[in-house]
């Protein structure tokens, strides 16, 4: 006689479970955001503020591989301004019929003008770090100019500008003139540990986006204080051992030779006997191929290969020392993570000098660098001599 009483609650529970998720949103009602751009911009009441641009995917513009998507644009940029990122996001929901959906966001673009404001970079990143919908692998780049122009680019090879930029950043991993992509999860660590850091720099063109160089941030106030150009970024990657592929151009007997880097290794040794005048020894070891010569000499005769290796080593040393000079004299900022090495291997010393490392007394600017380079030629290509 008790069995019907026990079955009834079980029946109700199963019925509720079969009803599905009560808060499900149909896919047609979602506004898929793939990228965001942040610029300085006035508010509606005339005050200083921030302008946020979201790039939404328009599925009708993507189409199928056979129909090409027709004439409909595959993306839609929606912009709003305000005094806080949260307020702007709420305004954004009032301007679209779709429910903003962040889980497919790939790249956050922040203008250099925003990054140059003291502490503002950390404030605008807070929403992207705090929002539970945001993944931790969204790439973060600094725009050389307006971030919205990066989102407005019309690349010929890709229908959605942010997808195009994401592909460029993926391809930059091995390029020695670019730094590796940095995601928002890593940015949070950089904001918290007060060590200086760099982020990729991108420049919008009419039909393309150029990724070259690096934006340099001082970790003390998370303010962008300058940039490294392509050559200086190359020097940074040679010193740190990041980036594996690139060309080193030299000239022997007024004939140009291109040395194609295939591998770069670097070791950095610290001598901290004198706190105010530390010594850093950088040993760079490279291997590569001869990819192009403008001369007619036989590369296997008369010590030509040995001479090329010496010239390549001298050129790499020159590039590395130029970057060191820019970091110490112009930017006065540790872009080589020497401070991080001090913190990890000389913790007590680091506690004494961390507040004067690359600000205040700025001990970093007084560090003596000694760069040693060894270069090897693996191959000369299919020929060792080119006819006139």
């Amino acid at each position: 006689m008790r069995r019907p009483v026990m079955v009834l609650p079980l029946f109700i529970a199963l019925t509720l479970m079969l009803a599905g998720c009560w808060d499900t949103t149909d896919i047609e009602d979602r506004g898929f955001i793939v990228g965001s751009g942040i610029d300085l911009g006035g508010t509606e009441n005339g005050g200083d503020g921030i302008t946020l641009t979201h790039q939404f995917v328009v599925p009708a513009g993507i189409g199928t591989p056979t129909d090409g998507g027709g004439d409909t644009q595959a993306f839609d940029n929606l912009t709003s301004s305000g005094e806080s990122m949260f307020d702007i996001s709420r305004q954004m929901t009032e301007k679209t019929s779709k429910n903003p959906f962040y889980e497919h966001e790939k790249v956050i673009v922040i203008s250099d003008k925003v990054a140059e404001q003291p502490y503002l970079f950390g404030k605008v990143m807070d929403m992207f770090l705090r929002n539970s919908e945001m993944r931790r692998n969204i790439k973060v780049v600094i725009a050389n100019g307006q971030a919205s122009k990066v989102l407005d680019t019309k690349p010929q090879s890709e229908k959605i500008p942010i997808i195009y930029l994401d592909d460029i950043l993926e391809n930059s991993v091995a390029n020695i003139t670019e730094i590796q992509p940095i995601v928002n999860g890593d940015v949070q660590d950089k904001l918290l540990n007060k060590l200086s850091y760099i982020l990729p720099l991108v420049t919008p063109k009419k039909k393309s986006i150029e990724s070259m160089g690096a934006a340099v941030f001082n970790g003390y106030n998370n303010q962008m204080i300058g940039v490294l150009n392509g050559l200086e970024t190359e020097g940074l990657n040679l010193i740190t051992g990041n980036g594996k592929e690139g060309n080193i151009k030299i000239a022997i007997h007024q004939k140009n030779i291109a040395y194609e880097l295939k591998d770069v290794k670097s070791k950095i040794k610290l001598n901290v006997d004198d706190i105010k005048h530390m010594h850093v020894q950088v040993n760079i070891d490279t291997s590569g191929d001869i990819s192009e010569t403008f001369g007619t000499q036989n590369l296997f005769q008369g010590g030509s290969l040995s001479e090329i290796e010496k010239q390549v080593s001298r050129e790499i040393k020159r590039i590395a020392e130029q970057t060191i000079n820019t970091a110490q004299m112009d930017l006065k900022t540790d872009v080589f993570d020497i401070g991080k090495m001090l913190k990890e291997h000389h913790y007590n010393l680091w506690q004494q000098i961390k507040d004067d490392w690359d600000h205040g007394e700025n001990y970093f600017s007084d560090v003596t660098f000694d760069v040693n380079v060894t270069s090897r030629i693996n191959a000369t290509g299919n020929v060792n001599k080119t006819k006139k």
Side-chain angles (χ1 to χ4, degrees):
M1 295 297 288
R2 296 180 179 175
R3 182 168 297 175
V5 177
M6 296 178 62
V7 168
L8 182 60
L10 179 61
F11 176 77
I12 294 173
L14 288 173
T15 302
L16 291 174
M17 292 174 67
L18 291 173
C21 299
W22 61 273
D23 62 345
T24 296
T25 302
D26 292 335
I27 192 169
E28 294 83 4
D29 296 329
R30 290 189 186 276
F32 290 97
I33 297 171
V34 290
S36 303
I38 302 165
D39 291 293
L40 288 180
T43 60
E44 293 180 355
N45 59 13
D48 295 333
I50 303 166
T51 296
L52 172 65
T53 303
H54 280 325
Q55 185 156 102
F56 292 83
V57 173
V58 178
I62 298 175
T64 64
T66 53
D67 63 21
D71 296 329
T72 304
Q73 185 169 270
F75 68 92
D76 185 24
N77 291 340
L78 193 59
T79 297
S80 192
S81 299
E83 295 181 351
S84 81
M85 295 292 288
F86 182 71
D87 287 342
I88 298 170
S89 294
R90 290 183 64 86
Q91 292 176 30
M92 199 79 78
T93 59
E94 299 170 356
K95 293 183 177 180
T96 176
S97 59
K98 305 291 185 181
N99 185 23
F101 188 67
Y102 294 93
E103 292 190 10
H104 293 285
E105 176 136 24
K106 292 185 175 299
V107 186
I108 300 167
V109 186
I110 298 175
S111 81
D112 52 1
K113 299 302 180 188
V114 170
E116 287 170 354
Q117 304 298 313
Y119 304 105
L120 185 56
F121 174 69
K123 293 177 180 176
V124 299
M125 284 300 301
D126 185 78
M127 185 193 76
F128 295 98
L129 298 170
R130 197 178 297 276
N131 191 328
S132 59
E133 286 186 7
M134 298 287 182
R135 294 171 300 151
R136 302 278 290 177
N137 61 348
I138 305 172
K139 300 180 181 70
V140 181
V141 301
I142 302 301
N144 183 15
Q146 281 190 285
S148 60
K149 287 188 175 180
V150 176
L151 276 64
D152 283 333
T153 307
K154 302 290 192 304
Q156 292 180 323
S157 59
E158 179 58 61
K159 293 183 177 180
I160 303 174
I162 282 295
I163 302 299
Y164 171 70
L165 174 59
D166 186 55
D167 290 342
I168 290 175
L169 296 172
E170 287 293 330
N171 293 334
S172 70
V173 171
N175 195 328
I176 203 162
T177 61
E178 304 172 45
I179 63 172
Q180 296 184 5
I182 295 173
V183 298
N184 57 336
D186 294 335
V187 168
Q188 183 180 20
D189 293 336
K190 295 179 185 302
L191 291 172
L192 294 175
N193 68 20
K194 294 189 178 296
L195 292 172
S196 297
Y197 54 94
I198 55 175
L199 293 177
L201 186 68
V202 299
T203 303
K205 305 291 184 180
K206 189 174 182 181
K207 293 185 177 180
S208 65
I209 301 171
E210 181 182 80
S211 175
M212 182 177 291
V216 179
F217 285 75
N218 190 293
Y220 189 70
N221 56 5
N222 292 305
Q223 179 182 7
M224 176 179 162
I225 45 85
V227 300
L228 295 177
N229 61 30
L231 187 65
E232 291 163 344
T233 303
E234 185 174 341
L236 171 65
N237 283 327
L238 289 165
I239 291 171
T240 58
N242 295 320
K244 305 299 180 185
E245 298 177 3
N247 283 333
I248 302 296
K249 299 175 184 177
I250 62 169
I252 294 182
H253 306 305
Q254 299 181 330
K255 303 295 183 183
N256 292 332
I257 294 176
Y259 174 81
E260 184 181 5
L261 287 164
K262 293 294 185 181
D263 191 27
V264 178
K265 292 184 174 63
S266 175
K267 289 185 179 179
I268 297 177
K269 297 180 180 179
L270 306 180
N271 184 326
V272 297
D273 293 343
D274 184 347
I275 293 178
K276 294 185 177 180
H277 298 89
M278 297 184 196
H279 180 265
V280 175
Q281 182 173 328
V282 182
N283 296 321
I284 302 172
D285 185 273
T286 76
S287 60
D289 300 341
I290 301 298
S291 57
E292 185 178 25
T293 64
F294 283 16
T296 59
Q297 62 179 326
N298 188 327
L299 296 176
F300 290 107
Q301 293 181 352
S304 295
L305 290 180
S306 176
E307 179 60 24
I308 293 172
E309 289 175 340
K310 290 179 182 176
Q311 288 276 19
V312 169
S313 296
R314 277 196 282 269
E315 179 63 8
I316 290 175
K317 181 181 173 71
R318 184 191 70 80
I319 294 171
E321 289 180 339
Q322 179 176 326
T323 303
I324 292 168
N325 185 67
T326 299
Q328 288 190 295
M329 299 297 107
D330 298 339
L331 302 175
K332 299 184 182 300
T333 300
D334 176 16
V335 296
F336 310 109
D337 282 341
I338 304 298
K340 183 178 180 181
M341 296 176 65
L342 288 169
K343 183 178 181 181
E344 292 175 350
H345 302 290
H346 304 277
Y347 184 75
N348 292 334
L349 172 64
W350 176 248
Q351 291 302 310
Q352 296 178 42
I353 66 172
K354 64 179 182 180
D355 291 332
D356 289 303
W357 175 237
D358 58 359
H359 56 277
E361 293 290 328
N362 207 308
Y363 295 149
F364 169 73
S365 294
D366 293 325
V367 171
T368 301
F369 282 82
D370 183 17
V371 180
N372 301 302
V373 183
T374 302
S375 300
R376 292 184 305 282
I377 297 173
N378 292 332
T380 61
N382 293 330
V383 296
N384 61 14
K385 180 180 179 181
T386 303
K387 195 174 181 178
K388 280 184 179 179

